[in-house]
Amino acid sequence: MAPVRDSFSHALALLLASFAAVLLLSPSVRAGINRDTIIDSSQLTVLRALSKEWRGFNYSRAWSSKEAPKRCMAYPGIICNDKGIIVGLNVSNTNINGTIKGISALTALALLDMSSNPIKDVTPLAPLTKLVYLNLQALDIEKAPDSLGNLGLLKHLNLNQNYLSTPVPQFVTGLTALTHLDLGFNDFSGSLPPRFGNLKNLKKLVLSHGGDALGGKLPPSFSALTNLRDLYMNDNAFGGSIPAYIGSFISLSYLRLSNNMFSGNIPKELGQLKNLQFLGLRYNSLSGSIPSALALLSKLTYLSLNYNKLSGSIPKQLTLLANLQSINFESNYLSGTLPSIDRLKLLTDVNVRSNYLSGTIPPRYLALPYHSLASNFFVGEISYKAKNGSAICQSESDVDNNCLRLKTWDKKACGKRPPQRSADMCWTFCRAASRLGTCGRRGACVPASLRKNDSAVAYAACKCQKGAAVTADNQYCVKVTKVLVRKPCPANPKCPSSSTCEPNFLSPLGYRCACQKGYRPVAENYWTVTKCVLIQV
């Protein structure tokens, strides 16, 4: 009997792990659950038939026993009501092979978890019209049958990690009781059904990695999903502007739109999402400035805007987000100086690599456990000191490709002192910047003293000719009446495969190369990527 008890313990653990599913039941059904009830003989007959139908099934021995009916708890993976009728079945990862036709006899089923099994056809589930919870994650199905649209009571449907390659099935929009819908990690194509907004009760929608061909603009009806709390649409091909109406989804906690083709400005209406904790918009083509309205997201802990085309300065208002733990603005066109982050006590991670930021680096940035500030125009002195017994040494700091001088060094904690970044380094920086067009034809890059008469502490700055003025980011000299206009990319840019050309007036070629959606850079020089590889999921 030991193997039976072990199997039951495993099944019970699975059921407890999915305890939230029990809460989906109506109060009357939930109140009737009783594991001590003797199983109904008709139900035991079905279990015995299923144990024969499912070749290699892990619970075959327990279910096929010819002994008299026992208490429901003796049969792993099942939940009974007080009449001994099976209302819940958890056979996740139990090596079900063959068909599942016999399961249609369990007509009282309300909870069903068949995830992680090599099942190819789920059509026999259509008669189970009392289902409120259905988990079909990680099966081998290539098409979700339209007959699943008969399951009108469903509140939870999980089709994640299958081989669904058709457009998102229309029948889904008829399951209006759904509160949780997971269609992620499939190979869907086309756009979302026009009537997707029928799912007004949705609280969680997962379309992550739905398919490289799943995209287009979000349907207008999508604006009706105002009860959403978690929205995962990352790693697809959705495009157009991010709809401003998402700002009306005031219950949202997680919003992930990364790795898509969204363009235009970040809507200021996102500042209305007072419950938002996670905002991921990386790897899109978003432009314009970072809206200061994001500073209204008082619960925000994670902000990812990297690999877009954002410009302007970093809003100082963001430093009011007391719960912020991670900021990533890498590879944009941001300029100006770094705002003080002294108020952000929970912040551990800042990445502003590969922008056009300038000025000095506030000490608090260098004290963070992780900071990437490389490939900007930062200047002046930096210090590395042991703090609270834990030293942050240069090996842990990413500040390369700037014009910085090392001031202090904790030799005991960090070992041998690295080479100094002297005024000569800044002259080298200026010579490189001159080739890249920094300061322009109306100015010159020269080392400027951080303190008067102290040539050892020097950094690069633009000195403009008469009649010209330096831009706000201290990187370009322009005629007072002149407006900078970026030239378009040439017809045949010298970019590596899997990358696209973007205009860039600071580049020696007048443009830079950026990896396409789904690829990441593995080699790059100061201004552009030189090799892109496919992102492995």
Side-chain angles (χ1 to χ4, degrees):
M1 295 298 294
V4 174
R5 286 198 296 270
D6 291 343
S7 296
F8 174 73
S9 299
H10 171 69
L12 182 60
L14 290 173
L15 287 171
L16 292 176
S18 302
F19 185 74
V22 177
L23 300 179
L24 297 175
L25 297 172
S26 64
S28 59
V29 176
R30 192 163 64 242
I33 291 177
N34 189 344
R35 65 175 186 166
D36 291 324
T37 303
I38 300 297
I39 190 170
D40 184 88
S41 59
S42 66
Q43 303 290 285
L44 182 55
T45 300
V46 175
L47 292 186
R48 289 170 177 169
L50 289 175
S51 66
K52 294 180 180 179
E53 182 181 4
W54 297 344
R55 301 186 305 273
F57 179 51
N58 291 359
Y59 300 156
S60 289
R61 182 177 178 183
W63 284 16
S64 62
S65 173
K66 294 183 179 180
E67 298 179 9
K70 303 177 182 178
R71 290 184 298 172
C72 286
M73 64 181 298
Y75 303 94
I78 71 169
I79 299 176
C80 295
N81 61 18
D82 52 6
K83 296 179 180 180
I85 303 299
I86 298 174
V87 295
L89 186 64
N90 189 335
V91 287
S92 172
N93 195 25
T94 52
N95 196 32
I96 295 176
N97 288 280
T99 64
I100 60 170
K101 294 179 180 179
I103 201 171
S104 60
L106 298 175
T107 55
L109 272 182
L111 309 175
L112 178 58
D113 188 343
M114 305 193 77
S115 59
S116 302
N117 284 293
I119 299 171
K120 298 183 182 297
D121 182 18
V122 293
T123 305
L125 302 180
L128 305 179
T129 55
K130 294 184 180 180
L131 281 174
V132 295
Y133 177 95
L134 180 57
N135 188 350
L136 302 177
Q137 180 177 353
L139 306 185
D140 290 340
I141 56 178
E142 298 180 0
K143 182 179 180 180
D146 292 340
S147 57
L148 293 183
N150 298 331
L151 309 180
L153 299 180
L154 269 185
K155 295 182 179 180
H156 181 115
L157 176 59
N158 189 342
L159 290 167
N160 194 295
Q161 297 180 54
N162 279 284
Y163 300 96
L164 303 174
S165 57
T166 60
V168 174
Q170 294 283 346
F171 77 79
V172 170
T173 63
L175 302 176
T176 55
L178 281 175
T179 59
H180 180 123
L181 177 59
D182 191 340
L183 302 174
F185 287 91
N186 279 288
D187 295 310
F188 288 119
S189 59
S191 55
L192 294 180
R195 297 181 180 179
F196 210 85
N198 290 350
L199 306 178
K200 296 180 181 180
N201 293 308
L202 272 185
K203 295 180 179 179
K204 183 172 184 177
L205 174 60
V206 180
L207 289 168
S208 304
H209 297 271
D212 290 339
L214 176 62
K217 294 184 178 180
L218 299 182
S221 66
F222 205 84
S223 61
L225 307 183
T226 55
N227 289 312
L228 279 173
R229 296 177 182 174
D230 303 315
L231 179 56
Y232 298 88
M233 301 184 69
N234 51 290
D235 295 273
N236 291 294
F238 292 109
S241 300
I242 296 176
Y245 61 67
I246 289 183
S248 66
F249 298 176
I250 57 176
S251 298
L252 269 184
S253 294
Y254 290 84
L255 177 58
R256 299 190 67 166
L257 303 177
S258 305
N259 283 69
N260 278 288
M261 298 181 180
F262 288 111
S263 58
N265 296 340
I266 299 174
K268 62 181 180 180
E269 287 79 5
L270 295 187
Q272 300 171 17
L273 304 176
K274 302 300 176 63
N275 293 301
L276 198 66
Q277 300 177 31
F278 184 107
L279 178 57
L281 302 177
R282 66 178 186 171
Y283 284 100
N284 280 287
S285 296
L286 300 170
S287 57
S289 59
I290 300 174
S292 58
L294 297 185
L296 299 174
L297 306 177
S298 58
K299 295 184 180 180
L300 196 67
T301 61
Y302 182 95
L303 178 58
S304 174
L305 306 177
N306 48 312
Y307 288 94
N308 278 286
K309 301 177 182 179
L310 300 171
S311 57
S313 59
I314 299 174
K316 294 182 179 180
Q317 295 91 329
L318 295 183
T319 61
L320 300 176
L321 298 175
N323 291 306
L324 207 55
Q325 299 177 22
S326 176
I327 299 174
N328 195 333
F329 295 157
E330 180 182 354
S331 293
N332 279 286
Y333 301 117
L334 299 175
S335 57
T337 58
L338 287 174
S340 171
I341 55 173
D342 291 341
R343 295 183 180 181
L344 304 182
K345 305 301 183 182
L346 301 179
L347 191 65
T348 60
D349 178 355
V350 168
N351 185 350
V352 294
R353 182 186 179 94
S354 298
N355 280 282
Y356 303 118
L357 298 166
S358 58
T360 57
I361 299 176
R364 171 89 165 96
Y365 284 86
L366 299 175
L368 294 174
Y370 176 81
H371 54 273
S372 181
L373 312 173
S375 299
N376 281 284
F377 288 92
F378 294 125
V379 297
E381 297 177 318
I382 57 174
S383 299
Y384 294 92
K385 297 180 179 179
K387 185 177 181 180
N388 298 328
S390 177
I392 297 178
C393 305
Q394 192 177 41
S395 60
E396 304 167 21
S397 177
D398 185 10
V399 294
D400 292 339
N401 290 329
N402 286 289
C403 185
L404 302 167
R405 178 180 182 272
L406 186 62
K407 182 181 179 182
T408 58
W409 182 257
D410 190 326
K411 184 176 180 180
K412 182 177 180 181
C414 301
K416 185 179 179 181
R417 187 183 182 98
Q420 292 287 314
R421 287 179 177 266
S422 64
D424 290 338
M425 283 292 295
C426 295
W427 272 114
T428 303
F429 183 88
C430 272
R431 287 196 295 272
S434 178
R435 291 196 302 272
L436 296 171
T438 301
C439 298
R441 292 178 295 176
R442 300 180 183 275
C445 179
V446 297
S449 178
L450 186 64
R451 296 191 295 270
K452 290 184 178 181
N453 303 320
D454 184 0
S455 59
V457 184
Y459 61 92
C462 288
K463 184 176 182 179
C464 299
Q465 299 174 359
K466 186 177 181 180
V470 69
T471 54
D473 55 10
N474 195 33
Q475 295 173 18
Y476 210 83
C477 292
V478 296
K479 193 175 180 180
V480 174
T481 58
K482 181 178 178 180
V483 178
L484 288 176
V485 179
R486 290 181 179 175
K487 296 180 180 180
C489 287
N492 297 304
K494 297 180 179 179
C495 288
S497 59
S498 304
S499 69
T500 56
C501 174
E502 297 177 349
N504 188 316
F505 65 79
L506 293 180
S507 168
L509 300 175
Y511 64 86
R512 76 171 186 173
C513 303
C515 292
Q516 295 176 356
K517 175 185 173 296
Y519 291 81
R520 63 179 178 83
V522 294
E524 55 186 326
N525 56 34
Y526 192 72
W527 293 110
T528 187
V529 299
T530 56
K531 185 177 180 181
C532 300
V533 296
L534 184 67
I535 297 175
Q536 300 294 327
V537 178

